[in-house]
């Protein structure tokens, strides 16, 4: 290993990156844009759900009942509909996501101590949002029922209303949200997306860069030179690691400034750990570049083997523990799982070396394996 | 005279279209990309994400150790929860949550049973790891339902009500109907959303690749001196690629999405393919624009990614418009994908027809004409 040769190669690579304007733009724009697009585009906060109602009863009680939906911050009232046909059309046109139909004689039935069935129609196109909306509706119904019931019990048994409400709902669940008190999905997503971006952008750039050398034939200069394969790979990849290191800082800053996520951990833990992750994923790019011959193929193969695992098998959307056994093993074959623990641990949980060293160690081992395979399969005398 | 001119024109169009198809059939990378994205990618996306709580790990801190507390604890069962046992200290709870080993800790207070018997209000505490906001929300919803049901049963016992009497108390009975996707089957939503995204990506990439290939190989000079008009060079490319994309969409709909996910197609397939054809033409205008900016396939892929990102962000593919910030929602009129998504979900899942979707169709047509003319204009300038 000769340091000045490595420096020369790294400098050459850097100049080449700077000269290709499109490539240079990609290096910084793609990570930032991915973060923005996915963090804004994949919002999982279920709020402002547009809805409509039909009130066949038009009594004081039905108005009181409907106002619990209208006044809720989760719902966005779109006015009363004239009939059920209109509701169907509004739902089909996505103008509303759910509707409530209060039946005739709503107040009369309840006052005379009989149950009333209230129909709600929910748009099921976005399954997760449907699930959550259903939960909101059920909660409002349950609250209203509890009040009705305690009033009824208080009346029929001649006890005080407070006493009756304890009788009706004796157990309460108090939830404490740790790490993300207001359960803002934007905090989870934007921080988690640092993992996604650093999983696919470094290998993407690296693979393109290495393959470009081969595509335009300038790699023969390297083959013919005195540079050893280790020196070449190290020099070649250093600029990409440097770009990614810069991107770590940019992403970290954006997530805090733009999405308001807290950073509770230690920078002295987060940055070194992130750098190790970037070294890992850059190594993946090296492997990809050894498998394909054209830039187009390199770009597509990288997307396939990094983006999908990072999205689906990392714990970003579905926790790894909930996957079946085979998928769990598959998930642990990618470095994304370990790094996501590091990101969420550092940002939201305020953890550091003592709690997360295992994940860092896994990344180190991973990097060592990837780079060794990469080094050994790069030959200066390619078989033709 | 007119007739023979028309024949000649048609003849040239057919010859050029056949040429484009033949060229595509000799490009292994693009063929693999087309096949991969229309089959494997859609299958993986459709079956990958199930955004519901599945066997979330939970542990219990039981300070009471009574029959009542055990009764409550054993209600935290699959499919939603997986009881991982009991722990003895707050400290241990915090550590498990920090490490992400469990999603929630249920804390049952001492004297739980005694207070219940005395008719006092008791509350059970749950600490939830909300670093993943989605799971935090779902865990709270389901735990809330479990505790509420437990409470109701306790109340029933203490009030001495029988099942028959329970039918005669004033409560709201929640009757919900979920339209379009009654069981909130995630794969229906995910696979359609992915199909529409893949169509977008390929209708950007394939025409661009076909045009850039001429540049890469220098054959564009030959075309320029041939008797073909620029339109006769361009349209066959778009026509050939459009046909391939429609074929791919049909394959993925009938051979992947229908057999694997049992999607019930509600609307008119003819309408769906007409809309898709219109969309492919609109988007291919952007593809031609990409072709004017790039010199090789590698750059095409990079630019496709750059243009895809904002299109996706503004499309509502994962997040419905109402959940987006206002500024982004206004900008959605600029993304052709937003109309395509609305119509895609509308036709395939909701069974909506033109009477409901006409406004989206009109929007797509207008935007399509603008984008397409822009692309053709940019591309034709190259022949001057």
């Amino acid at each position: 290993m000769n340091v000045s040769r490595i420096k020369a190669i790294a400098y050459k690579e850097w100049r080449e990156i700077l000269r290709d304007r499109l490539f240079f733009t990609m290096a910084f724009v793609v990570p930032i844009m991915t973060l923005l697009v996915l963090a804004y585009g994949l919002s999982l906060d279920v709020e402002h759900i547009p809805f409509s109602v039909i009130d066949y009863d038009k009594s004081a009680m039905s108005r009181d009942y409907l106002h619990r939906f209208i006044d809720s911050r989760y719902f966005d009232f779109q006015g009363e509909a004239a009939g059920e046909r209109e509701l169907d059309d509004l739902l089909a046109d996505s103008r509303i996501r759910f509707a409530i139909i209060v039946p005739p004689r709503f107040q009369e039935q309840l006052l005379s101590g009989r149950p009333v069935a209230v129909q709600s129609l929910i748009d099921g196109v976005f399954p997760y949002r449907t699930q959550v909306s259903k939960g909101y509706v059920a909660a409002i119904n349950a609250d209203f029922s509890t009040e009705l019931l305690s009033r009824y019990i208080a009346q029929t048994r001649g006890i005080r209303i407070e006493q009756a409400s304890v009788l009706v709902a004796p157990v309460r669940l108090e939830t404490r949200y740790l790490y993300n008190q207001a359960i803002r999905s934007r905090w989870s997503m934007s921080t988690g997306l640092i993992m996604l971006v650093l999983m696919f952008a470094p290998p993407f750039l690296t693979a393109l860069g290495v393959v470009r050398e081969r595509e335009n034939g300038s790699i023969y200069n390297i083959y013919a030179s005195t540079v050893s394969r280790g020196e070449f790979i190290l020099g070649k990849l250093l600029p990409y690691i440097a770009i990614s290191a810069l991107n770590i800082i940019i992403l970290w800053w954006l997530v805090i400034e733009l999405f308001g996520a807290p950073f509770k951990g230690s920078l002295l833990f987060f940055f070194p750990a992130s750098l190790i992750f970037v070294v890992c994923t850059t190594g993946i790019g090296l492997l990809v570049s050894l498998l394909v011959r054209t830039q187009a193929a390199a770009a597509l193969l990288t997307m396939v083997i990094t983006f999908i695992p990072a999205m689906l098998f990392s714990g970003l959307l579905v926790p790894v523990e909930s996957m079946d056994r085979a998928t769990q093993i598959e998930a642990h074959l990618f470095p994304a799982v370990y790094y996501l623990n590091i990101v969420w641990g550092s940002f939201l949980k305020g953890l550091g070396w003592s709690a997360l060293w295992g994940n860092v160690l896994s990344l180190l081992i991973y990097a060592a394996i990837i780079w060794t395979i990469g080094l050994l399969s790069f030959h200066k005398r390619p078989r033709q | 005279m007119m007739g023979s001119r028309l024949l000649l024109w048609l003849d040239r169009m057919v010859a050029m279209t056949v040429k484009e198809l033949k060229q595509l059939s000799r490009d292994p990378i693009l063929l693999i990309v087309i096949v991969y994205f229309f089959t494997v990618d859609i299958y993986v996306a459709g079956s990958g994400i199930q955004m519901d709580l599945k066997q979330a790990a939970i542990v219990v801190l039981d300070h009471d150790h009574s029959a009542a507390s055990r009764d409550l604890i054993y209600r935290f069962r699959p499919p939603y929860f997986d009881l991982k046992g009991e722990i003895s200290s707050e400290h241990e709870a915090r550590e498990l949550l920090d490490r992400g080993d469990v999603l929630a800790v249920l804390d049952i207070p001492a004297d739980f049973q005694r207070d219940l018997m005395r008719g006092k209000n008791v509350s059970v505490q749950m600490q939830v790891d909300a670093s993943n906001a989605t799971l935090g929300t779902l865990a709270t919803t389901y735990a809330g339902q479990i505790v509420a049901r437990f409470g109701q049963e306790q109340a029933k016992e203490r009030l001495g009500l029988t099942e028959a009497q329970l039918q005669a108390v004033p409560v709201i009975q929640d009757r919900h109907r979920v339209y379009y996707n009654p069981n909130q089957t995630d794969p229906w939503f995910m696979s359609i959303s992915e199909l529409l995204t893949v169509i977008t990506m390929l209708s950007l990439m394939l025409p661009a690749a076909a045009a850039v290939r001429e540049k890469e190989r220098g054959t564009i000079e030959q075309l320029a001196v041939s008797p073909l008009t620029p339109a006769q060079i361009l349209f066959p490319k778009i026509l050939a690629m459009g046909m391939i994309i429609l074929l791919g969409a049909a394959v993925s709909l009938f051979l992947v999405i229908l057999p694997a996910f049992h999607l019930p197609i509600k609307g008119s397939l003819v309408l769906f393919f007409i809309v898709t054809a219109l969309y492919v033409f609109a988007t291919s205008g952007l593809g031609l624009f990409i072709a004017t900016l790039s010199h090789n396939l590698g750059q095409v892929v990079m630019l496709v990614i750059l243009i895809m990102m904002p299109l996706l962000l503004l499309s509502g593919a994962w997040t419905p418009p109402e959940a987006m910030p206002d500024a982004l929602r206004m900008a959605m009129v600029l993304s052709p994908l937003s109309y395509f998504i609305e119509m895609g979900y509308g036709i395939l899942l909701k069974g909506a027809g033109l009477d409901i979707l006409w406004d989206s169709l009109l929007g797509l047509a207008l935007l399509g004409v603008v984008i397409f003319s822009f692309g053709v204009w940019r591309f034709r300038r190259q022949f001057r």
Side-chain angles (χ1 to χ4, degrees), chain A residues 3-19:
Chain A
V3 180
S4 72
R5 282 190 207 146
I6 298 177
K7 265 197 332 220
I9 300 246
Y11 182 63
K12 166 213 143 257
E13 191 63 27
W14 178 243
R15 292 290 299 270
E16 217 171 317
I17 295 171
L18 280 185
R19 204 167 299 152

Side-chain angles (χ1 to χ4, degrees), chain B residues 3 34 54 101 163 198 332 357:
Chain B
I34 294 170
K54 273 203 307 191
D101 287 349
E163 274 308 319
V198 165
M332 279 181 76
L357 298 173

Side-chain angles (χ1 to χ4, degrees), chain A residues 237-298:
Chain A
L237 266 46
L238 267 179
Y240 296 101
I241 296 178
I243 290 176
S244 303
L246 208 54
N247 276 327
I248 297 173
I249 300 173
I250 296 174
L251 293 171
W252 173 82
W253 181 79
L254 275 178
V255 162
I256 293 175
E257 285 300 316
L258 213 55
F259 299 102
F263 185 79
K264 298 179 185 159
S266 131
L267 289 177
L268 286 178
F269 167 73
F270 180 68
F271 283 126
S274 301
L275 203 60
I276 294 172
F277 180 64
V278 164
V279 170
C280 264
T281 54
T282 306
I284 295 180
L286 176 65
L287 287 192
V288 169
S289 72
L290 295 171
L291 291 175
V292 297
R293 255 175 293 153
T294 62
Q295 288 189 57

Side-chain angles (χ1 to χ4, degrees), chain B residues 8-63:
Chain B
L8 181 66
W9 190 83
L10 269 180
D11 205 31
R12 284 178 180 166
M13 286 290 277
V14 172
M16 284 297 285
T17 310
V18 170
K19 166 208 156 251
E20 292 298 337
L21 289 175
K22 272 189 185 161
Q23 261 187 326
L24 182 68
S25 74
R26 288 175 196 151
D27 190 331
I29 293 178
L30 283 185
L31 284 180
I32 292 174
V33 166
I34 294 170
V35 171
Y36 170 83
F37 277 102
F38 274 124
T39 55
V40 181
D41 182 68
I42 286 176
Y43 180 77
V44 170
S47 54
I49 298 181
Q50 311 262 323
M51 269 216 286
D52 202 351
L53 202 62
K54 273 203 307 191
Q55 314 212 355
I58 186 168
V59 288
V60 186
L61 197 55
D62 186 355
H63 294 292

Side-chain angles (χ1 to χ4, degrees), chain A residues 203-218:
Chain A
F204 184 75
L205 293 175
T206 311
L208 282 181
V210 178
V211 170
R212 184 172 51 181
E213 187 105 57
R214 201 171 316 146
E215 216 178 21
N216 58 29
S218 62

Side-chain angles (χ1 to χ4, degrees), chain B residues 39-287:
Chain B
T39 55
V40 181
D41 182 68
I42 286 176
Y43 180 77
V44 170
S47 54
I49 298 181
Q50 311 262 323
M51 269 216 286
D52 202 351
L53 202 62
K54 273 203 307 191
Q55 314 212 355
I58 186 168
V59 288
V60 186
L61 197 55
D62 186 355
H63 294 292
D64 195 39
H65 287 289
S66 61
S69 72
R70 264 191 299 278
D71 183 11
L72 177 60
I73 291 167
Y74 285 115
R75 288 165 190 248
F76 284 80
R77 274 188 310 221
Y80 299 136
F81 292 99
D82 186 11
L83 194 61
K84 293 282 188 200
E86 210 176 292
I87 51 168
S88 49
S89 72
E90 293 273 349
H91 179 73
E92 207 177 332
R94 190 60 193 229
E95 220 162 65
L96 285 170
L97 285 164
D98 274 351
R99 279 207 307 264
D101 287 349
V102 298
L103 184 70
V105 175
L106 192 69
D107 190 338
I108 297 180
D111 302 332
F112 176 72
Q113 176 163 306
R114 206 190 62 200
D115 287 351
L116 262 183
M117 291 302 171
R118 287 185 183 167
K120 271 205 219 131
N121 229 333
V122 288
S123 47
V124 176
Q125 237 203 27
M126 189 167 79
Q127 294 182 303
V128 182
D129 173 356
S131 55
N132 185 332
T134 323
L135 296 173
T137 312
L138 287 171
T140 314
T141 310
Y142 292 130
Q145 285 168 6
I146 291 173
V147 171
R149 182 143 326 133
F150 174 79
Q152 275 163 19
E153 281 172 29
Q154 294 285 327
K156 197 174 78 180
E157 237 170 70
R158 253 172 313 125
L159 291 168
L161 292 173
T162 62
E163 274 308 319
Q165 279 171 308
L166 267 185
Q167 293 306 308
V169 289
V171 289
I172 305 274
Q173 290 167 344
D174 196 359
R175 294 278 151 78
H176 52 252
R177 255 180 71 197
V178 176
Y179 275 31
Y180 318 129
N181 187 353
N183 300 316
Q184 287 101 67
T185 316
D186 280 301
W188 293 2
F189 167 70
M190 292 304 298
S191 61
I192 296 182
S193 139
E194 188 69 12
L195 175 63
L196 303 187
T197 312
V198 165
I199 290 175
T200 309
M201 188 190 79
L202 291 179
S203 47
L204 286 175
M205 194 160 79
L206 294 183
V212 157
R213 199 186 295 121
E214 311 272 10
K215 277 207 223 170
E216 242 179 339
R217 299 187 181 157
T219 47
I220 195 149
E221 307 295 341
Q222 290 169 14
L223 290 175
V225 297
S226 72
L228 296 165
T229 61
Q232 282 171 334
I233 299 171
L234 277 184
F235 285 120
K237 289 187 194 303
I238 293 169
L239 197 65
M241 299 310 153
M243 276 160 41
I244 296 291
I245 292 169
L246 286 180
L247 182 71
V251 165
S252 114
L253 203 53
F254 294 115
L255 298 182
V256 180
I257 298 179
L258 287 187
F261 307 128
H262 311 288
L263 174 81
I265 292 182
K266 299 264 180 57
S268 149
L269 276 173
V270 176
L271 182 61
F272 177 72
F273 280 104
I274 291 175
V275 166
T276 308
L278 179 67
Y279 177 71
V280 170
F281 274 81
T283 325
S284 59
L286 280 178

Side-chain angles (χ1 to χ4, degrees), chain A residues 20 22-23 26 29-30 33-34 36-38 40-45 47-50 65 88-89 91-94 97 106 110 113-132 134-135 137-138 141 144-145 148-149 152-153 157 166-180 183-186 188 200 204 208 294-297 299-300 303-304 308 311-313 315-319 321-322 344 348-349 351 355, chain B residues 29 33 36-37 41 44-45 48-52 54-56 80 94 97-101 106 112 116 119-138 140-145 147 150-151 154-155 158-159 161 167-181 184-186 189 205 296-299 301-303 305-306 309-310 312-313 316-325 328 342 345 349-350 352 356 359:
Chain A
D20 188 340
L22 177 62
F23 191 82
M26 292 284 295
V29 171
V30 165
M33 217 146 85
T34 314
L36 296 184
V37 166
L38 292 175
Y40 281 121
L42 198 60
S43 165
L44 295 170
D45 290 321
E47 285 173 9
H48 309 295
I49 314 162
Y65 171 69
D88 284 354
D89 283 353
L91 280 166
D93 205 10
S94 309
R97 297 286 173 194
F106 174 82
L110 288 175
R114 279 194 303 269
V116 174
V118 172
Q119 172 96 57
S120 49
L121 310 172
I122 308 177
D123 178 347
V125 168
F126 294 84
Y128 167 73
R129 311 185 82 85
T130 309
Q131 201 74 21
V132 177
K134 236 163 61 176
V137 175
N141 278 338
F144 195 73
S145 295
L148 287 171
L149 200 57
Y152 176 74
I153 298 278
R157 310 225 163 159
V166 172
L167 275 174
V168 169
V171 191
R172 257 200 337 227
L173 182 73
E174 277 172 15
T175 313
R176 267 186 59 208
Y177 295 108
L178 299 175
Y179 319 125
N180 182 358
I183 44 170
R184 293 196 182 88
S185 80
R186 210 147 263 169
S188 319
F200 94 89
F204 184 75
L208 282 181
T294 62
Q295 288 189 57
L300 292 163
M303 292 299 277
V304 170
I308 292 171
M311 197 82 177
L312 301 183
F313 306 129
L316 183 63
L317 295 172
V318 186
E321 304 86 65
S322 299
W344 275 345
L348 302 174
K349 298 187 178 181
L351 305 178
Chain B
I29 293 178
V33 166
Y36 170 83
F37 277 102
D41 182 68
V44 170
I49 298 181
Q50 311 262 323
M51 269 216 286
D52 202 351
K54 273 203 307 191
Q55 314 212 355
Y80 299 136
R94 190 60 193 229
L97 285 164
D98 274 351
R99 279 207 307 264
D101 287 349
L106 192 69
F112 176 72
L116 262 183
K120 271 205 219 131
N121 229 333
V122 288
S123 47
V124 176
Q125 237 203 27
M126 189 167 79
Q127 294 182 303
V128 182
D129 173 356
S131 55
N132 185 332
T134 323
L135 296 173
T137 312
L138 287 171
T140 314
T141 310
Y142 292 130
Q145 285 168 6
V147 171
F150 174 79
Q154 294 285 327
R158 253 172 313 125
L159 291 168
L161 292 173
Q167 293 306 308
V169 289
V171 289
I172 305 274
Q173 290 167 344
D174 196 359
R175 294 278 151 78
H176 52 252
R177 255 180 71 197
V178 176
Y179 275 31
Y180 318 129
N181 187 353
Q184 287 101 67
T185 316
D186 280 301
F189 167 70
M205 194 160 79
N296 57 49
L297 197 54
Q299 291 183 331
V301 175
M302 284 193 248
L303 281 169
I305 294 172
L306 278 181
M309 292 277 177
L312 269 178
L313 167 64
W318 308 303
T319 308
E322 71 262 16
M324 300 225 203
L328 288 187
E342 174 65 23
Y345 291 151
L349 277 177
K350 298 185 171 183
I356 290 195
D359 49 346

